Every structure is written in structure tokens, then in C-alpha cells.
Amino acid sequence: MIREVGNISIIGIIEVAGIITVILSLFFVGYEINQANRIAVVNSEQAIWGNFATINELIMSNTEYADLMHELTNEDAEFIEADLEKVRAFVRRMANVWSAAENSYNNGMLTEATYQILYDDLRSLLITYPGSRATWRELLDIYPNLNSGFFGYSRELLNELELRDRLEN
């Protein structure tokens, strides 16, 4: 026999309690998913900043590499043999960092603010180190289909900087 309290049965009370429990569980699962996504975004951003920190540590700890970076501030710098390969490696490293950032952003793992800062970083690098521009152009020529995101922006920026330099000279 099912016992009733007023017009409500015990089974009805248990069913309502069960529904409330399921709803609360779904809210908790949603909260956990949100937390996991936030952690993933933070980890992605920290990995990108870690790449930049590694490059900065290399420059600070290696005088030869610091001298090479200083040479890149000269627009007319020309590099041969081992130094050229170091410049190429630097450009590829930066391209990989920005490519990873693009991928992270496209998959929702990078904030808009960080994404925009990385565009500023690309611009800063090409302005601060004009001696690297020929190597950037070489990389972009090797991969002509890289036209979106950072690669498309770097093509436009290189053209803009070359035009600006021609007008100044």
C-alpha cells in the first residue's frame, strides 16, 4: 500500500527528489566542464608564453645568440652559413609558436586578448628585427599556401614594411 501525505504520495515525493537530484547533478557536470575548459585555456596560454620565455632565456644566457639577435636589428644584415641557419631556426621557431597559437585560438583554447597581443608581437618582431625579414619572406615563399591568420598577416605586414622603407629612402 502506498502511503499518502495529504494528496501527495510517498512515491511522488521520491520522484520529485530524484528529478531535483538529476538536475543538480547536471548543473555540477556543467560547472566541471566549464572549469576544465578554463584550465585548458590557461594551460594553452602558459605554453605559448613558455615558448617566448625559452627564447628570451636563450638570448640572455648565450652571448653569441644575443649578438646574432642584435645583428638582426640591422636592416641590411647579411648572414652566411651557421648564422643564416640560426636565423632560419629562429624564424621557424617563431612561426611554430604563432601557428600553435592560431590553432589554440581557432579551437577556443586562447583568449581574444592573448591572440591580439600575439599579432602585436609579430609586428614588433618584424619592426625590431628588420634583418629577419628576408628569412621570413623565404619561409613564406617555401609555403605559399599559408595565407590565413598569422601567416597572412605577416605577408601583408612584410609588404607594408617594404613599401614604407622604399618611401623613406
Side-chain angles (χ1 to χ4, degrees):
M1 172 174 213
I2 298 176
R3 205 158 185 204
E4 290 188 17
V5 177
N7 288 335
I8 302 173
S9 72
I10 298 289
I11 291 178
I13 293 172
I14 292 172
E15 287 175 349
V16 169
I19 291 170
I20 290 171
T21 302
V22 168
I23 291 171
L24 290 175
S25 295
L26 290 174
F27 279 124
F28 181 73
V29 168
Y31 173 78
E32 288 293 314
I33 289 171
N34 185 32
Q35 287 297 98
N37 286 340
R38 288 171 134 187
I39 290 168
V41 168
V42 168
N43 287 339
S44 180
E45 290 191 358
Q46 286 178 343
I48 289 166
W49 299 132
N51 272 300
F52 287 115
T54 300
I55 293 166
N56 290 337
E57 288 168 7
L58 175 63
I59 294 167
M60 291 184 298
S61 65
N62 184 323
T63 304
E64 181 183 335
Y65 198 76
D67 289 342
L68 179 69
M69 294 304 294
H70 178 71
E71 191 65 29
L72 286 172
T73 64
N74 178 1
E75 186 175 351
D76 298 320
E78 292 185 24
F79 301 97
I80 57 170
E81 298 174 6
D83 283 345
L84 177 59
E85 288 310 310
K86 289 176 187 173
V87 172
R88 285 176 174 153
F90 170 71
V91 166
R92 285 190 303 269
R93 173 71 182 259
M94 296 307 296
N96 287 336
V97 170
W98 287 317
S99 180
E102 187 84 31
N103 187 40
S104 292
Y105 178 75
N106 289 338
N107 287 292
M109 295 293 121
L110 196 65
T111 65
E112 180 70 27
T114 299
Y115 186 64
Q116 292 306 317
I117 288 170
L118 293 172
Y119 271 92
D120 292 342
D121 187 62
L122 173 55
R123 182 176 191 80
S124 173
L125 186 135
L126 289 175
I127 290 170
T128 304
Y129 300 109
S132 71
R133 292 179 194 164
T135 309
W136 279 102
R137 181 72 67 194
E138 177 184 288
L139 177 74
L140 294 172
D141 288 346
I142 291 170
Y143 299 101
N145 293 317
L146 294 176
N147 291 312
S148 64
F150 286 107
F151 295 105
Y153 177 68
S154 64
R155 288 176 194 281
E156 292 170 13
L157 185 56
L158 282 168
N159 290 336
E160 175 188 317
L161 293 171
E162 286 175 12
L163 178 62
R164 185 191 76 180
D165 291 345
R166 274 187 262 137
L167 292 174
E168 288 177 358
N169 295 329

